[in-house]
Amino acid sequence: MKRIIIIVAIIAIATTKITFAQSKTDAAFNQVLLAYYDVKNALSTDKKDAAIEKVKVLTAKVNDVPNKDLTTAQQKVWMEQSSIIKSKAAQLAGSNDIKTQRKSFEGISYAMIKTVKTIKFNNATVYIQHCPMAKASWLNEKENIENPYYGSMMFDCGDISETIKSK
């Protein structure tokens, strides 16, 4: 009987540790997603200086993700996509031209889309939106279109191409 109790306790501790690690990783990924939305919101409202500041926060959040708890396949995707995100974020932060910033944001967006679809960490519904004029997609936290590629010129241009339900 003692043996069974000890085995059950060990299993419970191991399961709790795995769940805690996964929730910590998911929380870090969700912080990346929130920081991404801040950059998107700055660009969609034509705030290029705010976009520079917000993309620096995004880079810091990307660096904070503990990826050791991911599967091998997820780790591979995250390492590839986080590298793209950081590279494009550096380009965006290094430019005062909003058109150049938006082009860099496109690369960030495609890396984020691939990450969300592959790792499935989001704790809220995510909308993949697409602008046919820019021929580019982005993630949004709400259904209403807020176009980061044209900002105030065509704020609500685009449509929802996919909805990713929360985990």
Side-chain angles (χ1 to χ4, degrees):
M1 185 65 173
K2 285 183 182 181
R3 223 182 234 170
I4 293 173
I5 292 172
I6 291 171
I7 291 172
V8 169
I10 290 170
I11 292 171
I13 291 169
T15 305
T16 302
K17 188 174 181 180
I18 291 169
T19 303
F20 178 73
Q22 288 173 337
S23 65
K24 186 176 177 184
T25 301
D26 286 352
F29 273 119
N30 279 286
Q31 289 298 308
V32 170
L33 191 56
L34 292 174
Y36 167 87
Y37 291 149
D38 287 343
V39 178
K40 184 264 308 169
N41 291 334
L43 292 172
S44 65
T45 55
D46 302 326
K47 295 178 182 168
K48 63 182 182 176
D49 293 334
I52 291 170
E53 293 310 310
K54 300 296 183 183
V55 84
K56 291 175 184 176
V57 173
L58 173 63
T59 300
K61 297 295 183 186
V62 167
N63 288 331
D64 289 345
V65 173
N67 63 8
K68 293 178 181 161
D69 299 318
L70 300 174
T71 66
T72 303
Q74 288 174 328
Q75 272 188 352
K76 183 175 187 245
V77 167
W78 176 240
M79 297 312 288
E80 291 169 355
Q81 300 313 309
S82 66
S83 177
I84 293 168
I85 292 167
K86 290 189 282 189
S87 171
K88 295 296 181 179
Q91 288 175 5
L92 191 155
S95 176
N96 283 321
D97 176 57
I98 198 157
K99 286 183 181 182
T100 303
Q101 289 177 337
R102 287 176 167 147
K103 190 63 182 164
S104 297
F105 181 73
E106 183 179 342
I108 295 169
S109 291
Y110 283 109
M112 286 294 297
I113 290 168
K114 185 168 184 174
T115 301
V116 171
K117 288 174 118 180
T118 304
I119 299 178
K120 299 177 181 19
F121 59 83
N122 52 304
N123 62 11
T125 300
V126 174
Y127 301 94
I128 299 176
Q129 298 179 340
H130 180 78
C131 174
M133 299 293 291
K135 297 180 180 137
S137 296
W138 69 95
L139 299 174
N140 201 347
E141 69 273 32
K142 47 195 161 228
E143 286 185 74
N144 294 341
I145 305 297
E146 296 176 347
N147 190 322
Y149 300 115
Y150 283 103
S152 61
M153 286 176 33
M154 294 193 292
F155 184 73
D156 57 358
C157 176
D159 55 23
I160 297 172
S161 59
E162 190 174 340
T163 301
I164 303 170
K165 297 291 182 189
S166 63
K167 188 175 161 174

